[in-house]
Coordinates of all heavy atoms in Angstrom, one line a residue:
P19 N -10.3 8.5 -13.5 CA -11.2 8.6 -12.4 C -10.5 8.3 -11.0 O -9.6 7.4 -11.0 CB -12.2 7.6 -12.7 CG -12.0 7.1 -13.9 CD -10.6 7.4 -14.4
R20 N -11.0 9.0 -10.0 CA -10.4 8.7 -8.6 C -11.5 8.9 -7.5 O -12.4 9.5 -7.8 CB -9.1 9.7 -8.3 CG -8.1 9.6 -9.2 CD -6.9 10.5 -8.9 NE -7.1 11.6 -8.1 CZ -6.1 12.6 -8.1 NH1 -5.1 12.6 -8.9 NH2 -6.3 13.7 -7.4
T21 N -11.1 8.4 -6.3 CA -12.0 8.7 -5.2 C -11.4 9.8 -4.5 O -10.3 10.3 -4.8 CB -12.1 7.5 -4.3 OG1 -11.0 7.1 -3.9 CG2 -12.7 6.2 -5.1
T22 N -12.0 10.2 -3.4 CA -11.5 11.3 -2.6 C -10.7 10.7 -1.1 O -10.5 11.5 -0.3 CB -12.5 12.3 -2.2 OG1 -13.6 11.5 -1.5 CG2 -13.2 13.0 -3.5
D23 N -10.6 9.5 -1.2 CA -9.9 8.9 0.0 C -8.6 9.3 0.2 O -7.8 9.5 -0.7 CB -9.9 7.3 -0.2 CG -9.7 6.6 1.1 OD1 -9.0 7.2 2.0 OD2 -10.1 5.5 1.2
T24 N -8.3 9.9 1.5 CA -7.0 10.5 1.9 C -6.3 9.8 3.0 O -5.5 10.3 3.8 CB -7.3 11.9 2.2 OG1 -8.1 11.9 3.4 CG2 -7.7 12.7 1.1
R25 N -6.5 8.4 3.1 CA -6.1 7.6 4.2 C -4.7 7.0 3.9 O -4.2 6.1 4.6 CB -7.0 6.5 4.8 CG -8.3 7.0 5.3 CD -9.2 5.9 5.6 NE -9.9 5.4 4.4 CZ -10.5 4.2 4.4 NH1 -10.8 3.6 5.4 NH2 -11.0 3.7 3.2
H26 N -4.0 7.5 2.9 CA -2.6 7.0 2.6 C -1.8 8.1 2.0 O -2.1 9.2 1.6 CB -2.7 5.9 1.6 CG -1.6 5.0 1.5 ND1 -0.4 5.3 0.8 CD2 -1.2 3.8 1.9 CE1 0.5 4.4 0.8 NE2 0.0 3.3 1.5
D27 N -0.4 7.9 2.2 CA 0.5 9.0 1.9 C 0.6 9.1 0.3 O 0.8 10.1 -0.3 CB 1.9 8.8 2.4 CG 1.9 9.0 3.9 OD1 1.1 9.6 4.4 OD2 2.9 8.4 4.6
F28 N 0.4 7.9 -0.4 CA 0.4 8.0 -1.9 C -1.0 8.1 -2.4 O -1.6 7.2 -2.9 CB 1.0 6.7 -2.3 CG 2.5 6.5 -2.1 CD1 2.8 5.5 -1.0 CD2 3.5 7.3 -2.6 CE1 4.1 5.3 -0.7 CE2 4.8 7.1 -2.2 CZ 5.2 6.1 -1.2
R29 N -1.5 9.3 -2.1 CA -3.0 9.6 -2.4 C -3.4 9.4 -3.9 O -4.4 8.8 -4.1 CB -3.3 11.0 -2.0 CG -3.5 11.1 -0.5 CD -3.9 12.4 0.0 NE -4.0 12.4 1.5 CZ -3.0 12.9 2.3 NH1 -1.9 13.4 1.6 NH2 -2.9 12.8 3.5
Q30 N -2.7 9.9 -4.8 CA -3.1 9.8 -6.2 C -3.2 8.3 -6.6 O -4.1 7.9 -7.3 CB -2.2 10.6 -7.1 CG -2.3 12.0 -7.0 CD -1.5 12.8 -8.0 OE1 -0.5 12.3 -8.5 NE2 -1.9 14.0 -8.4
W31 N -2.2 7.6 -6.3 CA -2.1 6.2 -6.6 C -3.2 5.4 -6.0 O -4.0 4.6 -6.6 CB -0.8 5.6 -6.1 CG -0.5 4.3 -6.4 CD1 0.0 3.7 -7.6 CD2 -0.5 3.2 -5.6 NE1 0.1 2.5 -7.5 CE2 -0.1 2.0 -6.2 CE3 -0.9 3.1 -4.1 CZ2 -0.1 0.7 -5.5 CZ3 -0.8 1.7 -3.6 CH2 -0.5 0.6 -4.3
T32 N -3.4 5.5 -4.6 CA -4.4 4.8 -3.9 C -5.8 5.3 -4.2 O -6.8 4.5 -4.4 CB -4.3 4.9 -2.4 OG1 -4.3 6.3 -2.0 CG2 -3.1 4.3 -1.8
Q33 N -6.1 6.5 -4.6 CA -7.4 7.0 -5.0 C -7.8 6.4 -6.4 O -8.9 6.0 -6.6 CB -7.4 8.6 -5.1 CG -7.4 9.2 -3.7 CD -7.2 10.7 -3.8 OE1 -6.7 11.3 -4.9 NE2 -7.5 11.4 -2.7
S34 N -6.7 6.3 -7.3 CA -7.0 5.7 -8.6 C -7.5 4.1 -8.4 O -8.4 3.6 -8.9 CB -5.9 5.8 -9.5 OG -5.7 7.1 -9.8
L35 N -6.6 3.5 -7.6 CA -6.8 2.0 -7.3 C -8.1 1.8 -6.5 O -8.9 0.9 -6.9 CB -5.7 1.4 -6.5 CG -4.4 1.2 -7.3 CD1 -3.3 0.6 -6.5 CD2 -4.6 0.3 -8.5
D36 N -8.4 2.7 -5.7 CA -9.7 2.7 -4.9 C -10.8 2.8 -5.8 O -11.9 2.1 -5.7 CB -9.7 3.8 -3.8 CG -10.8 3.6 -2.8 OD1 -11.2 2.5 -2.5 OD2 -11.3 4.7 -2.3
W37 N -10.8 3.7 -6.8 CA -11.9 3.9 -7.8 C -12.1 2.5 -8.6 O -13.2 2.0 -8.8 CB -11.5 5.0 -8.8 CG -12.8 5.2 -9.6 CD1 -13.9 6.0 -9.4 CD2 -13.0 4.5 -10.9 NE1 -14.8 5.9 -10.5 CE2 -14.1 5.0 -11.4 CE3 -12.3 3.7 -11.6 CZ2 -14.8 4.6 -12.6 CZ3 -12.8 3.2 -12.9 CH2 -14.0 3.7 -13.3
I38 N -11.0 1.9 -9.0 CA -11.0 0.7 -9.7 C -11.8 -0.4 -8.9 O -12.6 -1.1 -9.4 CB -9.6 0.2 -10.2 CG1 -9.1 1.2 -11.2 CG2 -9.6 -1.3 -10.7 CD1 -7.7 1.0 -11.6
V39 N -11.3 -0.4 -7.6 CA -11.8 -1.5 -6.7 C -13.3 -1.4 -6.5 O -14.1 -2.3 -6.5 CB -11.0 -1.5 -5.4 CG1 -11.7 -2.2 -4.3 CG2 -9.6 -2.1 -5.6
Q40 N -13.7 -0.1 -6.2 CA -15.1 0.1 -6.0 C -16.0 0.3 -7.3 O -17.1 -0.4 -7.4 CB -15.2 1.4 -5.2 CG -14.7 1.4 -3.8 CD -14.9 2.6 -3.0 OE1 -16.0 3.0 -2.8 NE2 -13.9 3.3 -2.6
G41 N -15.4 1.0 -8.2 CA -16.2 1.2 -9.4 C -16.4 0.0 -10.4 O -17.4 -0.2 -11.0
I42 N -15.3 -0.8 -10.6 CA -15.4 -1.8 -11.5 C -15.6 -3.1 -10.8 O -16.6 -3.9 -11.3 CB -14.0 -2.0 -12.2 CG1 -13.8 -0.7 -13.0 CG2 -13.9 -3.1 -13.2 CD1 -12.4 -0.6 -13.7
F43 N -15.1 -3.4 -9.7 CA -15.3 -4.7 -9.0 C -16.4 -4.7 -7.9 O -16.7 -5.7 -7.3 CB -13.9 -5.3 -8.4 CG -12.9 -5.4 -9.5 CD1 -11.7 -4.6 -9.5 CD2 -13.0 -6.4 -10.3 CE1 -10.8 -4.7 -10.4 CE2 -12.1 -6.7 -11.3 CZ -10.9 -5.9 -11.3
D44 N -16.9 -3.5 -7.6 CA -18.0 -3.5 -6.6 C -17.6 -4.0 -5.3 O -18.3 -4.7 -4.5 CB -19.4 -4.2 -7.1 CG -20.0 -3.4 -8.1 OD1 -20.0 -2.1 -8.2 OD2 -20.6 -4.0 -9.1
L45 N -16.3 -3.8 -4.9 CA -15.8 -4.1 -3.7 C -15.8 -3.0 -2.7 O -15.9 -1.7 -3.0 CB -14.4 -4.6 -3.8 CG -14.3 -6.0 -4.6 CD1 -12.9 -6.4 -4.9 CD2 -15.0 -7.2 -3.9
P46 N -15.6 -3.2 -1.4 CA -15.4 -2.2 -0.3 C -14.2 -1.3 -0.6 O -13.4 -1.7 -1.5 CB -15.4 -2.9 0.9 CG -15.3 -4.2 0.7 CD -15.5 -4.5 -0.8
P47 N -14.2 -0.1 -0.1 CA -12.9 0.8 -0.2 C -11.7 0.1 -0.1 O -11.6 -0.8 0.8 CB -13.2 1.9 0.7 CG -14.6 2.0 0.9 CD -15.1 0.5 0.7
L48 N -10.7 0.4 -0.8 CA -9.4 -0.3 -0.8 C -8.7 -0.3 0.6 O -8.1 -1.2 1.1 CB -8.4 0.4 -1.8 CG -7.1 -0.1 -1.9 CD1 -7.1 -1.7 -2.5 CD2 -6.3 0.8 -3.0
L49 N -8.8 0.9 1.2 CA -8.0 1.1 2.4 C -8.9 0.8 3.8 O -8.3 1.0 4.9 CB -7.4 2.5 2.5 CG -6.4 2.8 1.6 CD1 -5.9 4.3 1.6 CD2 -5.2 1.9 1.8
D50 N -10.0 0.2 3.6 CA -10.8 -0.2 4.8 C -9.9 -1.2 5.6 O -9.4 -2.2 5.0 CB -12.1 -0.8 4.4 CG -13.2 0.3 4.3 OD1 -12.9 1.5 4.3 OD2 -14.4 -0.2 3.9
G51 N -9.7 -0.9 6.9 CA -9.0 -1.8 7.8 C -7.5 -1.6 7.7 O -6.7 -2.1 8.4
H52 N -7.0 -0.7 6.8 CA -5.6 -0.4 6.8 C -5.0 0.2 8.1 O -3.9 -0.3 8.4 CB -5.3 0.7 5.6 CG -4.0 1.0 5.3 ND1 -3.0 0.2 4.9 CD2 -3.3 2.2 5.5 CE1 -1.8 0.7 4.9 NE2 -1.9 2.0 5.2
R53 N -5.6 1.1 8.8 CA -5.1 1.7 9.9 C -4.9 0.6 11.0 O -4.0 0.5 11.9 CB -5.8 2.8 10.4 CG -5.9 4.0 9.6 CD -4.6 4.8 9.7 NE -4.7 6.1 9.0 CZ -3.6 6.4 8.1 NH1 -2.5 5.9 8.1 NH2 -3.7 7.4 7.4
E54 N -6.0 -0.2 11.2 CA -6.1 -1.3 12.0 C -4.9 -2.3 11.9 O -4.2 -2.9 12.7 CB -7.3 -2.2 12.1 CG -8.6 -1.3 12.5 CD -9.1 -0.4 11.4 OE1 -8.8 -0.5 10.3 OE2 -9.9 0.5 11.8
E55 N -4.6 -2.6 10.6 CA -3.4 -3.5 10.2 C -2.1 -2.8 10.6 O -1.2 -3.4 11.1 CB -3.4 -3.7 8.7 CG -4.3 -4.7 8.3 CD -4.0 -6.2 8.8 OE1 -2.9 -6.6 8.8 OE2 -5.0 -6.8 9.4
Q56 N -2.1 -1.5 10.4 CA -0.8 -0.9 10.9 C -0.6 -0.9 12.4 O 0.6 -1.2 12.8 CB -0.8 0.7 10.4 CG -0.5 0.9 8.9 CD -0.8 2.4 8.6 OE1 -1.5 3.1 9.2 NE2 0.2 2.9 7.8
A57 N -1.7 -0.7 13.1 CA -1.6 -0.8 14.5 C -1.2 -2.2 14.9 O -0.4 -2.4 15.9 CB -3.0 -0.3 15.2
R58 N -1.8 -3.2 14.3 CA -1.6 -4.5 14.8 C -0.1 -5.0 14.5 O 0.6 -5.6 15.3 CB -2.6 -5.5 14.0 CG -2.3 -6.9 14.4 CD -3.1 -7.9 13.6 NE -2.9 -7.9 12.2 CZ -1.8 -8.4 11.6 NH1 -1.0 -8.9 12.3 NH2 -1.7 -8.4 10.2
T59 N 0.5 -4.6 13.3 CA 1.8 -5.0 13.0 C 2.8 -4.3 13.9 O 4.0 -4.7 14.0 CB 2.1 -4.7 11.5 OG1 1.8 -3.5 11.1 CG2 1.2 -5.7 10.7
A60 N 2.4 -3.1 14.4 CA 3.4 -2.3 15.3 C 3.2 -2.7 16.7 O 4.1 -2.2 17.5 CB 3.1 -0.8 15.1
N61 N 2.3 -3.6 17.0 CA 2.2 -4.0 18.4 C 2.3 -5.5 18.5 O 1.4 -6.2 18.1 CB 0.7 -3.5 18.9 CG 0.4 -3.8 20.4 OD1 1.1 -4.6 21.0 ND2 -0.5 -3.1 20.9

């Protein structure tokens, strides 16, 4: 099982992990806040 999230270059890997995080642990999507973190670390 996978989600359809496309916010990372390693899509298959992150989609599988995103499904685990959301489907099994009932947590928010894996990559929520990822772009903000990238912007912060680059600035």
Side-chain angles (χ1 to χ4, degrees):
R20 302 188 328 204
T21 62
T22 58
D23 196 329
T24 60
R25 295 180 286 175
H26 197 280
D27 292 340
F28 298 109
R29 286 188 181 94
Q30 289 182 337
W31 183 78
T32 56
Q33 288 172 345
S34 295
L35 287 178
D36 191 36
W37 184 88
I38 292 168
V39 165
Q40 291 183 62
I42 296 174
F43 297 113
D44 290 323
L45 294 172
L48 181 66
L49 293 176
D50 278 2
H52 179 65
R53 294 281 182 224
E54 292 82 9
E55 280 297 308
Q56 284 180 320
R58 183 184 57 76
T59 56
N61 183 342

